[in-house]
Amino acid sequence: MTDTSKFQIAIIGAGIAGLGAAIALKNHPAIDVQIYEKAAELKEIGASIALGPNGMRTLERLGVDDALDDEIAFRNKSKYPMIYRHWQTNEIISTDSHAGEVEYRHLTSRFYRAHLHEALAQQVDPSRIHLSKSFESVAPDTTTQKLLITFADSTTATADIILGADGIHSPVRTFFAPTSSTGWTGWVAFRSVFPYSHVAQIKDLPDEANHFWGLGGKTLFISKLGRDLFTVVGSYQADPNAPDAPYKDSTWNSDGDVSVLREFYKDWSPLVRQIVDAVPYTRIYPNAAAQALDTWVLGGGRVTLAGDAAHAHGGAFAAGGSLALDDAWAFAASILHVFPENATRKPTDAELLKALRIYEKTRKPHTDKVMSVVHDNNAKKLARASQASEPETDEQLRARIKNRPDPSWIHEHDVQAAFARAVAEEDTGPAEPSDQARL
């Protein structure tokens, strides 16, 4: 039940960003947070997910201590965030390293996505999560001076502010920015998670997270996960503009064919073939991305976005989970900046606008840079996969692995420092309303 006497925040979407924001705000005595999720059941769709040191630190900041436990978070014993191997020789060609000092509990970790989602959901009062609520529209309610949200089942809810955390194909985003639709990048992931026992007898099986790279851009990722699980992620790059491109019409989390997966890797090393042969099933995840939005301050300063809804980058660099958690923390910190727990009145419209501008300044420059790099990399992937391009040589492959971009600026981004800079910048001058998508 919503409490209209309190400051109402409606979160659309009960994924990582939505749950994270609710957790960050739950102790404020004068804020009423309600989450509206389109699914009929609260569960996470997906396979494995990685969190870098930034995401792990934010989990700790949110108090989700269970998610830092080795029971569900798998960390490489070498402390390398990623290990890169050759597709035929299995030799280690290169490794990623942490740029700064990283404590053990904050090391890059791999999760079964459902385990991480469960750990977050346990921190939220179930009565605040409303299922089968698919966002349809929002309009100002002149009587209450609140926002009136309408769902597909014709029910409604009110809020003072809305956080759209409803995924890569976000209805909230497209409602306010209709031209912001996503497009298929041509890249498809074949993901599976299964008991470790399926691969335990494979000789020389790496016991850390490893990324095998092959000619032309094909890769295979393997890793242990928590609770004796194991994940295998294959990939395929097509030309998204080709009318006959394989998987052009595939849908997220659809059934895959393990025989096709095995065909993709039939010429790889015996170790890789043994791993792929042991995969009991696979599911298809077509990669989609969008261009960066002009602004995250929507609805006249009453609506904003988080997670993939804000920056649909397609999951590159395995950064989506950490980006979502940092968004969640920064959104809550921005609200609490203008409406602290000891506040004696609700925030004004001008203060809400200031909060959303602080949030945008904290997060958007960073995620815009991520998206720019992702789009550049996608273009390079297409060039390598093009039939018109010269086949890649082994020497070129090895050089590409060694000269890959250093992702530490993504995985070790300091959201607290960015927030402090945004607050200082915003406090130096008056805020002006955004012209985009006013209600």
Side-chain angles (χ1 to χ4, degrees):
M1 178 70 71
T2 60
D3 186 346
T4 57
S5 68
K6 293 184 177 183
F7 181 70
Q8 294 179 281
I9 297 179
I11 299 174
I12 311 299
I16 291 173
L19 292 173
I23 294 167
L25 292 165
K26 69 178 183 179
N27 292 325
H28 195 302
I31 291 181
D32 175 51
V33 177
Q34 303 291 328
I35 304 175
Y36 301 94
E37 166 58 45
K38 68 178 180 180
E41 181 182 356
L42 187 63
K43 65 178 182 179
E44 183 66 17
I45 295 175
S48 59
I49 186 172
L51 294 181
N54 57 334
M56 298 299 284
R57 288 171 179 140
T58 298
L59 275 180
E60 185 174 60
R61 206 174 293 128
L62 294 175
V64 191
D65 296 334
D66 288 351
L68 276 69
D69 196 283
D70 285 334
E71 182 190 5
I72 68 168
F74 175 77
R75 301 163 174 87
N76 277 358
K77 64 183 180 182
S78 65
K79 299 185 180 180
Y80 291 130
M82 183 67 82
I83 298 168
Y84 298 89
R85 292 181 182 263
H86 190 277
W87 66 294
Q88 282 191 320
T89 68
N90 303 325
E91 67 188 287
I92 296 175
I93 303 297
S94 189
T95 59
D96 285 339
S97 298
H98 293 299
E101 290 295 323
V102 179
E103 297 180 51
Y104 174 81
R105 65 186 185 279
H106 301 147
L107 291 173
T108 296
S109 301
R110 273 85 189 182
F111 299 83
Y112 178 37
R113 197 176 183 104
H115 293 166
L116 177 60
H117 190 260
E118 180 184 24
L120 290 165
Q122 287 176 347
Q123 299 291 322
V124 179
D125 181 347
S127 68
R128 296 186 178 279
I129 303 175
H130 311 275
L131 303 176
S132 299
K133 295 299 177 185
S134 181
F135 174 89
E136 191 168 86
S137 65
V138 61
D141 186 331
T142 56
T143 302
T144 63
Q145 304 303 310
K146 293 179 180 286
L147 301 177
L148 183 66
I149 307 164
T150 301
F151 300 101
D153 62 1
S154 298
T155 60
T156 61
T158 58
D160 293 293
I161 201 164
I162 295 172
L163 177 66
D166 48 344
I168 196 165
H169 303 297
S170 168
V172 175
R173 183 187 69 235
T174 53
F175 181 82
F176 288 98
T179 62
S180 66
S181 60
T182 56
W184 181 45
T185 66
W187 190 77
V188 180
F190 300 85
R191 300 180 182 274
S192 57
V193 173
F194 49 86
Y196 178 72
S197 59
H198 284 256
V199 294
Q201 303 308 312
I202 296 176
K203 183 181 178 182
D204 298 324
L205 177 72
D207 60 355
E208 299 188 276
N210 279 257
H211 213 184
F212 292 80
W213 281 28
L215 297 174
K218 188 177 292 183
T219 64
L220 186 83
F221 172 74
I222 65 168
S223 180
K224 286 183 175 180
L225 302 175
R227 296 176 183 168
D228 293 321
L229 295 178
F230 194 83
T231 187
V232 173
V233 183
S235 69
Y236 180 87
Q237 180 67 54
D239 181 353
N241 299 314
D244 58 346
Y247 306 104
K248 189 179 185 72
D249 299 318
S250 59
T251 57
W252 189 261
N253 193 38
S254 55
D255 289 333
D257 187 338
V258 290
S259 65
V260 172
L261 184 71
R262 290 164 189 160
E263 180 69 17
F264 285 162
Y265 297 95
K266 66 179 182 180
D267 297 324
W268 286 43
S269 71
L271 172 62
V272 170
R273 293 201 305 272
Q274 287 182 74
I275 294 169
V276 174
D277 285 346
V279 172
Y281 76 95
T282 191
R283 299 192 70 77
I284 297 172
Y285 296 84
N287 180 274
Q291 296 298 320
L293 294 168
D294 292 335
T295 180
W296 292 7
V297 182
L298 308 170
R302 304 282 292 277
V303 180
T304 192
L305 305 167
D308 285 341
H311 38 78
H313 80 296
F317 299 106
S322 293
L323 291 174
L325 287 168
D326 279 357
D327 287 350
W329 180 87
F331 169 76
S334 300
I335 295 295
L336 296 174
H337 180 71
V338 302
F339 189 41
E341 292 186 15
N342 61 355
T344 57
R345 59 168 177 80
K346 293 182 181 179
T348 64
D349 287 348
E351 288 168 336
L352 290 182
L353 177 60
K354 178 179 180 179
L356 295 198
R357 287 173 63 92
I358 290 172
Y359 170 55
E360 179 181 61
K361 289 177 179 179
T362 300
R363 299 297 296 146
K364 192 172 186 296
H366 177 65
T367 61
D368 281 359
K369 182 180 177 182
V370 172
M371 293 179 73
S372 176
V373 171
V374 167
H375 286 303
D376 287 345
N377 287 347
N378 286 343
K380 292 175 183 177
K381 287 181 183 179
L382 284 178
R384 285 195 298 269
S386 171
Q387 293 180 352
S389 65
E390 290 292 326
E392 186 176 42
T393 67
D394 186 71
E395 183 179 3
Q396 290 171 328
L397 168 64
R398 290 171 181 269
R400 181 161 59 86
I401 297 174
K402 292 178 180 178
N403 298 325
R404 73 198 178 282
D406 178 2
S408 62
W409 65 274
I410 299 175
H411 300 306
E412 297 181 45
H413 176 72
D414 188 341
V415 68
Q416 288 182 299
F419 174 73
R421 290 192 298 269
V423 169
E425 180 182 344
E426 185 64 26
D427 285 346
T428 61
E432 295 296 334
S434 167
D435 290 331
Q436 180 171 335
R438 294 175 182 270
L439 284 175

